[in-house]
Amino acid sequence: MPKNTLLDGLLAPGFDEGSCLSRYQSSSYRKASSRRPSSYLLSRLRSYEDLHKRCGPHTKSYNSTVEQLKSGHGASSTECKYVVWIAFSGLGNRILTLSSAFLYALLTNRVLLVDPGKDMADLFCEPFPEKSWLLPIDFPLKDQLNTFDQETPHSFGNMLKNNLLDTSKESLPSYLYLHLAHDYDDHDKLFFCDQDQTFLSRVPLLIMKTDNYFVPSLFLIPSFEHELSTLFPQKETVFHHLGRYLFHPSNHVWGLITRYYQAYLSKADERIGIQIRVFEEGTPQHVMDQISACTLKEKLLPEVDLERSIVASSGKQNLKAVLMTSLTSGYSENLRNMYWEHPTVTGEVVGVFQPSHEEFQQTEKHLHNRKAWAEMYLLSLTDVLVTSAWSTFGYVAQGLGGLKPWILYKPENQTAPDPACRQVMSMEPCFHAPPFYDCKAKTGVDTGALVPHVRHCEDMSWGLKLVDSPDEL
Amino acid sequence: MPKNTLLDGLLAPGFDEGSCLSRYQSSSYRKASSRRPSSYLLSRLRSYEDLHKRCGPHTKSYNSTVEQLKSGHGASSTECKYVVWIAFSGLGNRILTLSSAFLYALLTNRVLLVDPGKDMADLFCEPFPEKSWLLPIDFPLKDQLNTFDQETPHSFGNMLKNNLLDTSKESLPSYLYLHLAHDYDDHDKLFFCDQDQTFLSRVPLLIMKTDNYFVPSLFLIPSFEHELSTLFPQKETVFHHLGRYLFHPSNHVWGLITRYYQAYLSKADERIGIQIRVFEEGTPQHVMDQISACTLKEKLLPEVDLERSIVASSGKQNLKAVLMTSLTSGYSENLRNMYWEHPTVTGEVVGVFQPSHEEFQQTEKHLHNRKAWAEMYLLSLTDVLVTSAWSTFGYVAQGLGGLKPWILYKPENQTAPDPACRQVMSMEPCFHAPPFYDCKAKTGVDTGALVPHVRHCEDMSWGLKLVDSPDEL
Ligand SMILES: Nc1nc2c(ncn2[C@@H]2O[C@H](COP(=O)(O)OP(=O)(O)O)[C@@H](O)[C@H]2O)c(=O)[nH]1
Ligand SMILES: Nc1nc2c(ncn2[C@@H]2O[C@H](COP(=O)(O)OP(=O)(O)O)[C@@H](O)[C@H]2O)c(=O)[nH]1
């Protein structure tokens, strides 16, 4: 076994290697991370694994929680408490929200169970030893899970609004639905207040639906603050560590990743990932212009010489492989042709590769999601990364890879922004719809200005992200 | 300079390297040919070069031939005689016909001049030292050249038909047009008879338009027979030697070739070329089926394992690069996906590359033709080649590369033929519209059954091609 197979202790040993090759082979595709997990995080992960083993599906504790749920009566105290995560939105979103839910479970000593949706089991290995993280199919509320939304009466927000929760009383609901999706309202957002967390901590089962990486706002909840900074002395590594801990491509997906890497990327001297996510139709020229402007200005790719037909390289010829991902093929064809038709001024050689062009999001298709996951992962194996604003697909790649990408600003009015891109401050994902509420003062507040390590994002002025702040270290 | 830069003496030394890099660099991209040119061919090439120097554009002899042409009078004997080749049809066709014209010039001691059409000068270097092979733009008949066709009264065939040529008399036309295109008639075809050659040998200027590689029928003309077998003891090397002698990609095109090779092909352990030329619309499934059937059955590419998601290779992992050329992108996308989505049974890795997909033939566009030429050349650099029936594009690749390709039979009635392909007998191109005429007996004859080294082609039952016949060596 090569040295850092277990990623500095992030991964527990003792899994069956054949059932999840990626768990043991990833370290031979990715450069070792410069960011080590804290020993406290490692010990908390090991104790979470014990908890999961003790309380996971079909354990005594799980069975009694299910019984209580079926009985429909109020809850009595249970040995184990649970948080159920509902699969929702695109795959990038799901990976980020599942990480958020896991961190919330860690912080609140809950057991995380995953609604497998259409294809979680097809895409990911089991992350915890012995007991599955998948919600059993006979879970009582199983059929209702994907109907839960902002209107659901049993949501924490709606029950608060309708005064159905007496947070001071002993009596407790057997479960609560937490609606944390982008359309959540002010009552739902009270999830981020300390006193509500105190109440929630007593509810045996929480069911969560979200398309947001809500971790930054957890750092603003006073009762979590200390624990979080002990777990993550380097604040910008939360998803970097949790993502690599939780998400191991299934053997199917690992085949896609390793075959593509070996056929197209492994022989290059340098790998550049470019993730293009365009929220309008076609292959607009201004996006192409923006890609060139960013990669050339930031010297990520060499300029081409439009005058000469051949430029000899001085010394050994450098081969750069560009891995481009996008729903359409136009951008990569453009770039590939540019570097085919003209020499670079440096004499370097540039190859351009795009694994798929699926044309539109098809979240219901197995192979589509496998490819999406393979592509996020492949992007995370590059040396230099360029991503698109607002895209969780790109955030996943940067986080897994431990990369600080150059992020392409969102074009407005069909024109390329100037500057075209900037390098991000931290490798953390952006929380797109954070609350702006001071729970104590009960007024609005700029949550991006309260502490140095929670800032507004580069690509979305109202978003929040974690950064390492030198003055805090 | 590496060892075999001059290709076993095929190329004359002393050119300016910078003006035509491919002439000096090709030997570092292509494996050394196992077929050596005869020393007689080398000496004839050197004396042709002297002849060209003495008689080429704007020499005294050229000028007096032009004067005679302008005067409109009959011809008197001139020091040098010429054959003018007219650019006609696609690029593959042009390369083959130009080789045929050059061989005819060699056999008849004529000087070859090339009507540059739209872009000969953009595509190819000058092959002969000092004097250009391009017909000067002030050549008197310049404007008429591309109007010449089957109907032209001044063609050899029409003048014979209309009894305007008294082949026994002294008086000669100052030039004759030789119509050797696919629609030529029985009179035009008398070109392939000895007694007509005797007459033609006296005409100072011949102008030739053809889309046929007519070399095989030159081997059936008794007066050329001896010379041809001394020039080419190995019959199947005619185009292999003449093609590498004549066609050096211009620096523009050499840039396309070398950049593509370095970015996508150079690192592979084995290179497989697949040239797909489909004479119907779209990306028909039966063609895709045929490609798989051929490459798998002939073990040119490994099978995929549809059951397993990963297959470990035993020993060092072999990387095969497939270079596919086609006007459309569907076939290569299919193949690329197949080898991405499934492992090979051998654990080998297969990458699939297609330089362009131009959608339709655009013979008038510079860049289109540059790419077509670059792709033929790139195919010729592969280790194993698969080509399509009837396509001169593929013949050029096989000939330059010295490769015996597996040729895909032409599909009939939208079904893949069975067997899908076979390996050809010889690397020579096929003459698609040969004459079937016995000049002596003045009757029809099967010209593919007269001598062992002129046979019918694998891909076209009525075509003729040269083969090495062991019983003759
Ligand atoms: N294969 C592939 N799928 C993509 C790409 N971009 C978007 N998609 C699809 O669209 C979905 C977008 O949702 P998500 O992953 O949540 O990312 P986001 O919408 O960019 O935040 C992906 O999960 C894929 O299904 C791409 O570059 N490659
Ligand atoms: N770039 C490119 N052009 C092609 C391809 N196939 C056909 N063409 C175009 O179509 C023309 C076909 O004419 P020719 O070269 O004479 O080949 P043939 O028609 O197959 O005998 C080429 O010269 C190109 O212009 C291809 O695979 N790649």
Side-chain angles (χ1 to χ4, degrees):
Chain A
M1 231 185 266
K3 221 173 109 260
N4 199 11
T5 310
L6 297 178
L7 310 180
D8 297 317
L10 212 46
L11 307 186
F15 279 82
D16 167 35
E17 185 165 345
S19 68
C20 181
L21 294 165
S22 67
R23 174 185 284 275
Y24 291 92
Q25 294 180 357
S26 75
S27 61
S28 45
Y29 288 86
R30 207 195 294 289
K31 278 201 296 246
S33 174
S34 61
R35 308 301 197 112
R36 292 182 141 263
S38 69
S39 55
Y40 184 62
L41 173 60
L42 302 186
S43 77
R44 290 290 289 114
L45 291 175
R46 295 301 86 83
S47 53
Y48 176 83
E49 288 158 7
D50 290 338
L51 176 74
H52 197 92
K53 219 176 290 182
R54 209 169 59 242
C55 309
H58 304 307
T59 55
K60 198 164 142 266
S61 167
Y62 171 84
N63 293 340
S64 69
T65 306
V66 161
E67 284 314 314
Q68 186 168 303
L69 205 56
K70 280 192 189 152
S71 77
H73 300 315
S76 61
S77 176
T78 49
E79 195 200 334
C80 308
K81 295 196 170 61
Y82 297 86
V83 56
V84 169
W85 170 92
I86 301 178
F88 178 50
S89 186
L91 190 57
N93 275 286
R94 286 193 258 157
I95 290 173
L96 296 184
T97 59
L98 192 42
S99 313
S100 309
F102 177 66
L103 181 57
Y104 181 68
L106 264 193
L107 291 171
T108 57
N109 293 307
R110 287 178 181 272
V111 174
L112 173 69
L113 294 177
V114 166
D115 160 32
K118 287 270 181 292
D119 55 6
M120 289 300 288
D122 183 61
L123 297 173
F124 303 101
C125 300
E126 290 284 350
F128 310 128
E130 295 181 39
K131 285 276 168 219
S132 176
W133 70 342
L134 298 180
L135 190 69
I137 33 170
D138 56 3
F139 179 75
L141 299 169
K142 183 87 175 110
D143 295 339
Q144 294 169 50
L145 294 182
N146 57 15
T147 67
F148 284 160
D149 62 13
Q150 221 287 312
E151 309 295 317
T152 301
H154 215 77
S155 80
F156 176 56
N158 286 326
M159 289 186 76
L160 277 183
K161 187 157 48 187
N162 302 322
N163 288 314
L164 297 173
L165 287 180
D166 187 347
T167 55
S168 62
K169 278 239 199 83
E170 276 295 295
S171 84
L172 282 172
S174 58
Y175 79 96
L176 272 179
Y177 166 60
L178 297 171
H179 185 73
L180 299 176
H182 57 275
D183 61 348
Y184 63 160
D185 72 12
D186 289 345
H187 286 93
D188 298 315
K189 287 179 189 173
L190 294 173
F191 172 80
F192 294 103
C193 291
D194 235 342
Q195 68 202 79
D196 298 83
Q197 282 299 330
T198 311
F199 168 73
L200 289 171
S201 70
R202 291 156 51 215
V203 179
L205 179 71
L206 297 175
I207 297 174
M208 180 185 284
K209 179 166 169 176
T210 173
D211 52 4
N212 269 302
Y213 180 74
F214 57 73
V215 169
S217 289
L218 296 180
F219 276 76
L220 298 177
I221 299 177
S223 61
F224 293 154
E225 238 183 298
H226 178 69
E227 177 79 359
L228 281 170
S229 42
T230 324
L231 284 169
F232 299 102
Q234 298 178 319
K235 309 275 186 317
E236 68 159 305
T237 61
V238 176
F239 178 69
H240 179 55
H241 293 320
L242 296 184
R244 291 181 307 149
Y245 173 72
L246 289 174
F247 302 107
H248 303 284
S250 66
N251 286 353
H252 281 310
V253 178
W254 191 239
L256 292 177
I257 293 166
T258 53
R259 280 190 295 276
Y260 202 88
Y261 191 87
Q262 288 157 3
Y264 303 107
L265 305 174
S266 63
K267 310 275 181 166
D269 299 300
E270 198 185 344
R271 282 162 281 276
I272 294 114
I274 303 184
Q275 182 251 346
I276 301 301
R277 180 85 166 107
V278 175
F279 298 87
E280 50 184 301
E281 287 283 297
T283 308
Q285 182 59 36
H286 64 269
V287 176
M288 196 62 229
D289 295 342
Q290 191 183 1
I291 298 168
S292 305
C294 173
T295 52
L296 298 180
K297 182 131 178 282
E298 302 294 335
K299 302 203 180 312
L300 311 179
L301 287 175
E303 307 246 4
V304 295
D305 189 325
L306 297 174
E307 302 302 318
R308 288 186 288 174
S309 40
I310 293 184
V311 172
S313 67
S314 53
K316 183 189 160 290
Q317 194 158 49
N318 210 43
L319 175 60
K320 294 196 179 205
V322 177
L323 173 73
M324 203 170 209
T325 69
S326 157
L327 287 171
T328 55
S329 55
Y331 308 110
S332 70
E333 292 215 350
N334 252 306
L335 204 69
R336 188 181 303 119
N337 277 332
M338 183 174 102
Y339 286 111
W340 185 32
E341 291 166 11
H342 307 286
T344 61
V345 293
T346 56
E348 287 171 299
V349 175
V350 180
V352 179
F353 306 90
Q354 178 169 346
S356 75
H357 50 100
E358 297 274 291
E359 309 309 334
F360 49 89
Q361 189 169 338
Q362 306 161 54
T363 312
E364 302 302 294
K365 268 175 55 187
H366 272 309
L367 188 57
H368 173 85
N369 283 334
R370 285 185 191 169
K371 288 187 172 177
W373 177 209
E375 289 175 28
M376 283 185 239
Y377 202 99
L378 283 164
L379 285 169
S380 82
L381 301 179
T382 59
D383 303 303
V384 171
L385 188 59
V386 177
T387 56
S388 291
W390 292 28
S391 174
T392 61
F393 198 98
Y395 299 157
V396 169
Q398 79 195 39
L400 294 179
L403 299 163
K404 285 191 190 167
W406 279 260
I407 196 155
L408 297 162
Y409 289 113
K410 195 148 190 303
E412 303 281 351
N413 304 322
Q414 323 245 327
T415 40
D418 181 23
C421 65
R422 62 164 283 191
Q423 191 170 18
V424 298
M425 305 170 284
S426 99
M427 63 177 87
E428 271 287 292
C430 176
F431 179 6
H432 286 171
F436 296 105
Y437 185 65
D438 182 325
C439 300
K440 275 210 193 104
K442 298 187 195 262
T443 58
V445 69
D446 181 355
T447 43
L450 297 177
V451 296
H453 56 272
V454 178
R455 294 281 192 76
H456 286 297
C457 312
E458 299 84 356
D459 55 334
M460 189 181 267
S461 58
W462 60 89
L464 293 184
K465 75 185 282 187
L466 290 167
V467 300
D468 282 347
S469 48
D471 40 320
E472 290 184 305
L473 288 180
Chain B
M1 233 186 265
K3 218 171 113 261
N4 199 10
T5 311
L6 298 178
L7 310 179
D8 298 316
L10 212 48
L11 307 186
F15 280 83
D16 168 35
E17 185 164 345
S19 67
C20 181
L21 294 164
S22 66
R23 173 184 285 275
Y24 291 94
Q25 294 179 356
S26 75
S27 61
S28 44
Y29 289 85
R30 205 195 296 287
K31 278 202 295 247
S33 174
S34 62
R35 308 300 197 113
R36 293 182 140 261
S38 68
S39 56
Y40 183 61
L41 173 60
L42 302 185
S43 79
R44 290 291 289 117
L45 292 174
R46 296 299 89 80
S47 53
Y48 177 83
E49 287 158 6
D50 290 338
L51 175 75
H52 198 92
K53 221 175 287 182
R54 210 169 59 242
C55 307
H58 303 306
T59 55
K60 201 166 141 262
S61 168
Y62 171 85
N63 292 340
S64 69
T65 304
V66 162
E67 282 315 312
Q68 188 169 304
L69 205 57
K70 280 192 191 155
S71 77
H73 300 314
S76 59
S77 175
T78 49
E79 197 200 330
C80 308
K81 295 196 169 58
Y82 298 85
V83 56
V84 168
W85 170 92
I86 301 178
F88 178 49
S89 185
L91 191 56
N93 275 287
R94 286 194 258 157
I95 290 173
L96 295 184
T97 59
L98 192 41
S99 313
S100 309
F102 177 66
L103 181 57
Y104 182 69
L106 265 192
L107 290 171
T108 57
N109 293 307
R110 287 177 182 272
V111 174
L112 174 68
L113 293 177
V114 165
D115 160 33
K118 287 269 181 292
D119 54 7
M120 290 299 288
D122 182 61
L123 297 173
F124 303 100
C125 300
E126 290 284 350
F128 311 128
E130 295 182 39
K131 286 276 166 217
S132 175
W133 70 342
L134 298 179
L135 191 68
I137 33 171
D138 56 4
F139 180 75
L141 299 169
K142 183 90 175 108
D143 297 338
Q144 295 170 48
L145 294 182
N146 56 16
T147 66
F148 284 160
D149 62 14
Q150 221 287 313
E151 309 295 317
T152 301
H154 215 74
S155 80
F156 176 56
N158 287 327
M159 290 186 73
L160 276 182
K161 187 158 46 187
N162 303 321
N163 289 312
L164 296 173
L165 287 179
D166 187 348
T167 55
S168 62
K169 278 239 198 86
E170 277 294 296
S171 86
L172 282 171
S174 58
Y175 79 97
L176 273 179
Y177 165 60
L178 299 170
H179 184 75
L180 299 176
H182 57 275
D183 62 349
Y184 62 159
D185 70 12
D186 290 344
H187 286 93
D188 298 314
K189 288 178 188 172
L190 294 173
F191 172 80
F192 294 103
C193 292
D194 235 342
Q195 69 202 78
D196 298 85
Q197 282 300 331
T198 310
F199 168 74
L200 288 170
S201 70
R202 291 155 52 212
V203 180
L205 179 70
L206 297 175
I207 297 173
M208 179 186 284
K209 179 166 168 177
T210 175
D211 52 4
N212 269 302
Y213 180 73
F214 58 73
V215 170
S217 290
L218 296 180
F219 276 76
L220 299 176
I221 300 178
S223 61
F224 293 153
E225 237 183 296
H226 178 72
E227 177 79 0
L228 281 170
S229 40
T230 324
L231 284 169
F232 300 101
Q234 298 179 317
K235 309 272 184 322
E236 68 160 307
T237 61
V238 177
F239 178 69
H240 179 56
H241 293 320
L242 296 184
R244 292 180 307 149
Y245 173 71
L246 288 174
F247 302 106
H248 303 284
S250 66
N251 286 352
H252 282 308
V253 177
W254 192 239
L256 292 177
I257 293 165
T258 53
R259 281 190 294 278
Y260 202 89
Y261 191 87
Q262 288 157 5
Y264 303 107
L265 305 174
S266 63
K267 309 275 181 168
D269 299 300
E270 197 184 343
R271 282 162 281 276
I272 293 114
I274 304 184
Q275 182 251 346
I276 301 300
R277 179 86 167 106
V278 176
F279 298 87
E280 51 184 301
E281 287 284 296
T283 306
Q285 181 60 36
H286 64 270
V287 177
M288 196 62 229
D289 295 341
Q290 191 182 1
I291 298 169
S292 305
C294 174
T295 52
L296 299 181
K297 182 131 177 282
E298 301 294 334
K299 302 204 179 313
L300 311 179
L301 288 176
E303 307 246 5
V304 295
D305 188 326
L306 296 174
E307 302 301 318
R308 289 185 288 175
S309 40
I310 292 185
V311 173
S313 66
S314 53
K316 185 191 159 289
Q317 194 156 51
N318 210 43
L319 175 60
K320 293 197 179 203
V322 177
L323 174 72
M324 204 170 209
T325 67
S326 158
L327 287 171
T328 55
S329 55
Y331 308 109
S332 70
E333 293 214 350
N334 253 307
L335 204 69
R336 189 181 301 120
N337 277 332
M338 182 174 102
Y339 286 111
W340 185 31
E341 292 167 12
H342 307 286
T344 60
V345 292
T346 56
E348 287 171 300
V349 175
V350 180
V352 179
F353 305 90
Q354 179 169 347
S356 75
H357 50 99
E358 297 274 290
E359 311 308 337
F360 49 90
Q361 188 168 338
Q362 306 161 53
T363 313
E364 301 302 293
K365 269 174 56 189
H366 272 308
L367 188 56
H368 173 84
N369 283 334
R370 284 185 193 170
K371 288 187 172 177
W373 176 210
E375 289 175 30
M376 283 184 240
Y377 201 99
L378 283 164
L379 285 170
S380 81
L381 300 179
T382 58
D383 303 303
V384 171
L385 187 60
V386 176
T387 56
S388 291
W390 293 28
S391 174
T392 61
F393 198 97
Y395 299 157
V396 170
Q398 79 196 38
L400 294 178
L403 300 163
K404 284 189 192 172
W406 279 259
I407 196 155
L408 297 162
Y409 288 111
K410 193 146 192 302
E412 303 283 347
N413 304 322
Q414 322 245 324
T415 39
D418 181 24
C421 64
R422 63 163 283 191
Q423 190 169 19
V424 298
M425 304 169 284
S426 100
M427 63 177 87
E428 271 286 291
C430 176
F431 179 6
H432 286 170
F436 297 105
Y437 185 66
D438 182 326
C439 299
K440 274 205 194 111
K442 297 189 197 263
T443 56
V445 71
D446 181 355
T447 44
L450 298 177
V451 295
H453 55 271
V454 178
R455 295 281 192 77
H456 287 298
C457 312
E458 300 83 357
D459 56 334
M460 189 181 267
S461 58
W462 60 91
L464 294 184
K465 75 185 282 187
L466 290 167
V467 300
D468 281 348
S469 49
D471 42 318
E472 291 185 305
L473 287 179

